[in-house]
Amino acid sequence: MATHQTRPEERLDHAGIRKAYEDDPDTADQRLFGRVPCPDRRGFLKGAGLAAMGTALGAAIPFHRNLPAGVVPVALAQDTGAKHMGEKDGLTLLNERPLNAETPAHLLDDDVTPYSRLFIRSNGLIPQSALDMDAQGWTLTVDGEVENPLELSLDDLKSEFETVTLALVLECGGNGRAFFDPGASGNQWTVGAVGCPEWTGVRLSDVLAKVGLKSGAVYTGHYGNDVDISGDMDKVVISRGVPIEKAQEPECLIAWAMNGEDLPALHGFPLRLVIPGYPGSASQKFLTRIWVRDKVHDGRKMGGYSYRLPAYPVAPGTEVPEQDMEILTTMPVKSLITAPQTGVEVPVGQPTRIRGHAWAGNGDVQAMHVSLDFGQTWQQAELDAPPNRYAWQRWRADVTPREAGYYEVWSRATDGNGVMQPPVTPGWNPRGYGNNMIHRVAIFAV
Ligand SMILES: Nc1nc2c(c(=O)[nH]1)N[C@H]1C(S)=C(S)[C@@H](COP(=O)(O)O)O[C@H]1N2
Ligand SMILES: [Mo]
């Protein structure tokens, strides 16, 4: 490998160091650590590299000899995307590092969820390319069990395939986790890790048709260029996939725009998957590669307890052996009351308009009901057809409290198989996925 003399004008700042690692970790290592990386021997940070790192950190690194090759000091890798929180409207911050925030139900009233009100779920740091909104040279590799592996630029995607725009629900598999008892670790999502923006891109199925699936293709594996929370550029943040039959549904998109604009940094700029009906984790942001697999994908967070449920019902708190866990696929039927806001006063003896959305992982919501008496009686709500499959559906109902006092409005959606949202948290599982309990809001009749 050629030696690389670091001249002063090549001194790297914070962003530069991160970028150098993204472009070519070996060269970056050599520039910063002054050595050829060697996996089984620790190198020493020295010379111009040490100076650059020290300058970027604003301090010397007394233990620099112990800093392993390829590990960017975490202080340099701190970009969680938090500066974009100001563009969000009233979201509840659940975790700053990585950045996770959910939307209160009453702010999810829009038919099409605006950027300002879409939840944020990051497993790692936001990549520099997204923070810079720099899509130059971006490519998507589609390879594995395919006849013609392809590397597609954004222009290729835009020009070689039909562009489609669909409203699609994106819901985190852990939405509702906060209500499990005993609780599960992870972000304590209540009801607002869901939204339904309009996505523009190409059908994943069209791209898969173009590369030509081999008969052994059974699963997809997704990759993005976000950075592990440790700052280690070699670590994959999350890499999930879906059965090839799911990937070929016409509503699964490779999207470059949300609500008519380039994807925002927090939501996957410049390219992401949108796999509606599946846990949000399948919808890879910052998408760089789709690896078609000849077996169930085994990327990071596909195994263990991540996005997996016990294969059989268990009592709350049960220790479930890992080999008894199964991948969470289709999300359950669900609804949200988006108006009125919980806790408001409403007039006695007069109808109050209740509204919200309903959706189901199988794309088939059949009925919507509300109750004003803690589930003793249910009244049918009016349910609109979705603009397309996997969009959430608007519903509305009028309820009339007959005397003054405290009431709860409960909402319950039913899917095409007659499966309803339960009145209690269903299916306890170790990591708290798939909670589709009915939604409740409080109203005070005065
Ligand atoms: N590259 C990448 N893609 C990702 C994630 C991530 O951390 N990195 N999080 C996933 C999870 S768990 C969810 S729920 C959705 C959240 O999408 P959003 O942040 O745009 O709302 O993105 C998914 N795609
Ligand atoms: Mo998620």
Side-chain angles (χ1 to χ4, degrees):
M1 186 181 285
T3 50
H4 187 109
Q5 285 253 302
T6 307
R7 289 181 291 272
E9 67 271 20
E10 288 181 292
R11 284 262 182 100
L12 297 168
D13 60 7
H14 172 171
I17 289 172
R18 292 169 47 91
K19 179 137 197 355
Y21 271 93
E22 275 170 12
D23 291 350
D24 178 1
D26 284 0
T27 310
D29 236 34
Q30 206 185 344
R31 286 174 80 177
L32 285 165
F33 290 81
R35 52 126 194 264
V36 178
C38 174
D40 46 42
R41 190 178 65 86
R42 282 189 169 177
F44 300 121
L45 185 60
K46 64 184 180 195
L50 180 58
M53 201 80 97
T55 306
L57 280 170
I61 313 171
F63 286 118
H64 64 84
R65 284 189 173 74
N66 301 335
L67 196 60
V71 173
V72 178
V74 78
L76 294 181
Q78 241 167 6
D79 223 326
T80 58
K83 68 173 179 188
H84 289 286
M85 274 305 279
E87 298 155 15
K88 294 288 183 178
D89 168 24
L91 267 63
T92 310
L93 186 68
L94 299 184
N95 191 356
E96 252 173 309
R97 198 188 153 74
L99 190 64
N100 288 288
E102 72 168 330
T103 315
H106 71 280
L107 295 180
L108 285 171
D109 192 50
D110 302 271
D111 288 341
V112 173
T113 310
Y115 164 58
S116 61
R117 293 175 171 182
L118 182 63
F119 78 103
I120 307 160
R121 168 48 170 143
S122 333
N123 287 267
L125 302 164
I126 307 300
Q128 197 60 43
S129 47
L131 292 165
D132 296 343
M133 297 297 268
D134 175 12
Q136 257 236 296
W138 192 274
T139 57
L140 169 65
T141 301
V142 187
D143 61 357
E145 288 293 295
V146 302
E147 301 293 348
N148 315 294
L150 279 179
E151 204 178 303
L152 298 159
S153 68
L154 292 177
D155 282 344
D156 294 339
L157 283 169
K158 290 176 187 179
S159 61
E160 290 174 26
F161 304 90
E162 188 187 342
T163 297
V164 288
T165 296
L166 295 171
L168 300 169
V169 170
L170 180 69
E171 181 180 18
C172 183
N175 196 23
R177 174 178 296 136
F179 305 113
F180 280 104
D181 183 20
S185 62
N187 289 299
Q188 295 303 300
W189 306 111
T190 64
V191 297
V194 62
C196 185
E198 245 172 30
W199 308 94
T200 298
V202 298
R203 293 180 198 95
L204 174 55
S205 60
D206 288 349
V207 174
L208 294 176
K210 177 119 183 181
V211 295
L213 293 174
K214 288 190 176 166
S215 59
V218 300
Y219 229 84
T220 57
H222 315 150
Y223 291 86
N225 78 331
D226 41 350
V227 180
D228 187 76
I229 205 79
S230 67
D232 182 344
M233 293 295 200
D234 291 335
K235 235 174 165 176
V236 168
V237 172
I238 183 170
S239 175
R240 297 188 34 83
V242 298
I244 206 72
E245 300 74 37
K246 177 67 188 180
Q248 289 176 283
E249 285 187 356
E251 295 85 7
C252 290
L253 300 185
I254 302 174
W256 57 77
M258 185 176 100
N259 299 337
E261 291 182 34
D262 285 352
L263 284 177
L266 296 174
H267 300 295
F269 180 91
L271 205 60
R272 80 174 298 166
L273 282 169
V274 184
I275 308 284
Y278 265 43
S281 53
S283 296
Q284 192 82 30
K285 300 189 275 190
F286 324 109
L287 183 70
T288 55
R289 180 185 182 202
I290 298 169
W291 181 18
V292 178
R293 306 296 312 267
D294 62 0
K295 57 175 186 179
V296 174
H297 184 52
D298 49 5
R300 186 164 180 202
K301 303 202 177 183
M302 283 300 293
Y305 294 92
S306 296
Y307 305 101
R308 300 213 298 169
L309 302 173
Y312 42 84
V314 300
T318 303
E319 262 186 57
V320 185
E322 215 177 287
Q323 67 268 21
D324 290 356
M325 301 294 287
E326 284 179 348
I327 299 171
L328 166 60
T329 57
T330 305
M331 295 283 282
V333 64
K334 208 158 167 180
S335 64
L336 207 53
I337 300 164
T338 57
Q341 181 175 0
T342 193
V344 299
E345 291 184 351
V346 302
V348 179
Q350 285 176 43
T352 287
R353 172 55 57 95
I354 314 292
R355 44 188 262 149
H357 310 290
W359 65 97
N362 62 10
D364 186 16
V365 181
Q366 282 300 324
M368 190 61 222
H369 291 82
V370 296
S371 176
L372 195 59
D373 53 13
F374 305 102
Q376 295 188 74
T377 61
W378 292 88
Q379 151 188 350
Q380 182 135 20
E382 197 177 274
L383 178 68
D384 291 350
N388 53 257
R389 192 176 185 207
Y390 295 124
W392 62 20
Q393 293 171 242
R394 164 70 65 194
W395 59 263
R396 66 194 69 75
D398 290 327
V399 299
T400 305
R402 292 292 166 199
E403 53 190 306
Y406 176 80
Y407 295 81
E408 289 187 9
V409 184
W410 289 9
S411 75
R412 188 189 72 193
T414 305
D415 75 12
N417 301 320
V419 177
M420 297 172 189
Q421 291 183 259
V424 294
T425 301
W428 185 92
N429 60 93
R431 289 280 172 86
Y433 297 116
N435 180 3
N436 71 329
M437 192 184 120
I438 53 157
H439 187 212
R440 300 159 58 186
V441 303
I443 55 174
F444 293 86
V446 292

